[in-house]
Amino acid sequence: MARLVRSEDLRPQERGSPIATMYVSSRGGAIRRLIGSAHRHVIAMRRDPQMKYGQPTEGIAEGPAALRCATDPDIPFYQTQPFRLVLPVGGKLESWTADIIYVLWDGSVWVREIKRSIADLADPAYEAKLEAVCWLLSGLGWNFAPWTLDKILGSVERQVNAAAIYVDRAATLDDLMARFEGIAGETESMTFGELVRALDDRNTNHARAAVHRLIMRGRVWTDLDRLLEDWSEVRLRPACGVALDLPFA
C-alpha cells in the first residue's frame, strides 16, 4: 500500500523501507522540473489554460500525449510527471516516475507509462517493475497501462481535430458562457455549426474558437475520430462533477 509523501519530506532512514512510497511536489503540479541541458530527450513545457499547472514533457511521445489529454472532451483533468514511486521489486527498491495521469469524465483515473512503441517495453526487469507499479496503483483504485505513440495519436481524423482545437486553447469564453448555459439548458444535442451560430452568428470565428475550448473543457462532446465539420453532431453537457481528489491537484 502506498503512502503519500511530499517531495521534501524524505528522511534518509526511509530509503531502505520496504513500504512503497509516493512522492508528489510540495508546490503542486509536476514533480519533475525539466530544467537544464542534461536531458537525453527533447523537453518542452506546455501551457494549458484548463489546467492549474504547466505540463512538462520529455521525449517524442509525451508531448502528443499531453495534447491528446488536453483536447479530449472526456478528460477533464490531467497532469504530466505527476509523482514518483519508490517500491519493492524483486527484493530491492526501485524508483519509477509516472509520465502522465488523467481522470475521465466518469471519474476513473488512469496512469500511463509512455513509450514510442511496444518494443521499448521488452526488457524483463522493466516489465517486472511495471507489473509492480500496476499492482500498487490498482490498490488505490487507479488504472495503469503503457501508452504507445500510435495509440496516443489515434486516427488521422483525431490528429487533425486535435491540432485545430488546441490552437484555440486560450479562446475567450466570458462573453459567451451565459449564452452557452442557456442553450445547454434547453437542448442536449445539435450540430457543430448550429452551436457556433447560436453563440454568435455575427462573429463565427470567435464562436468557433469558443466551441473548441468548450470541447477541451468537456462541456461540448463530439466524436474526434471523425472530422469536425459544421454538420457534425455535438452534445452539450453540464459542468463536470468529478471530484479530483488527488494529492497533487
Side-chain angles (χ1 to χ4, degrees):
M1 184 176 184
R3 55 193 177 90
L4 304 182
V5 180
R6 295 291 177 183
S7 56
E8 72 273 17
D9 290 340
L10 175 62
R11 294 188 293 271
Q13 63 267 29
E14 290 184 314
R15 294 177 180 174
S17 170
I19 301 174
T21 306
M22 178 185 288
Y23 297 94
V24 298
S25 173
S26 60
R27 296 167 290 183
I31 192 171
R32 180 183 289 169
R33 305 297 181 186
L34 302 181
I35 299 174
S37 58
H39 297 276
R40 294 174 298 171
H41 309 293
V42 176
I43 61 174
M45 176 66 78
R46 291 177 176 269
R47 301 292 181 183
D48 176 1
Q50 275 63 249
M51 297 297 108
K52 182 178 180 180
Y53 302 102
Q55 306 291 340
T57 61
E58 183 176 13
I60 65 172
E62 289 186 22
L67 188 147
R68 169 73 180 256
C69 290
T71 56
D72 192 320
D74 285 325
I75 299 179
F77 174 88
Y78 74 99
Q79 176 65 57
T80 63
Q81 312 289 336
F83 60 83
R84 183 174 71 255
L85 289 176
V86 176
L87 70 167
V89 182
K92 62 179 181 179
L93 288 179
E94 297 277 3
S95 177
W96 178 80
T97 300
D99 288 328
I100 199 166
I101 188 171
Y102 58 85
V103 182
L104 293 177
W105 194 266
D106 63 8
S108 58
V109 179
W110 279 88
V111 180
R112 296 288 199 170
E113 170 77 352
I114 296 173
K115 293 297 180 185
R116 291 173 301 172
S117 69
I118 200 70
D120 293 334
L121 301 167
D123 180 64
Y126 194 52
E127 288 182 351
K129 181 192 288 191
L130 295 186
E131 286 178 2
V133 167
C134 183
W135 176 84
L136 179 65
L137 295 180
S138 67
L140 298 175
W142 295 355
N143 303 284
F144 171 78
W147 212 8
T148 55
L149 184 58
D150 60 328
K151 300 298 184 183
I152 292 167
L153 293 175
S155 64
V156 172
E157 291 82 0
R158 177 175 285 269
Q159 295 175 52
V160 171
N161 289 333
I165 291 168
Y166 195 72
V167 167
D168 293 321
R169 62 190 178 278
T172 302
L173 290 176
D174 294 345
D175 57 333
L176 297 179
M177 279 308 296
R179 187 171 300 175
F180 173 77
E181 297 294 1
I183 297 169
E186 295 178 355
T187 183
E188 294 183 357
S189 66
M190 56 199 317
T191 69
F192 179 81
E194 287 172 343
L195 178 57
V196 167
R197 292 186 291 274
L199 286 177
D200 191 343
D201 61 356
R202 293 174 298 178
N203 189 348
T204 55
N205 286 335
H206 174 42
R208 186 177 301 271
V211 176
H212 284 165
R213 189 170 178 193
L214 287 166
I215 291 173
M216 294 182 70
R217 292 178 60 175
R219 296 299 307 274
V220 173
W221 185 93
T222 189
D223 184 357
L224 293 184
D225 288 313
R226 297 184 177 183
L227 282 178
L228 187 56
E229 306 280 4
D230 274 1
W231 53 85
S232 300
E233 181 183 4
V234 299
R235 295 206 299 266
L236 283 55
R237 301 194 292 197
C240 181
V242 173
L244 303 177
D245 186 17
L246 302 174
F248 36 78

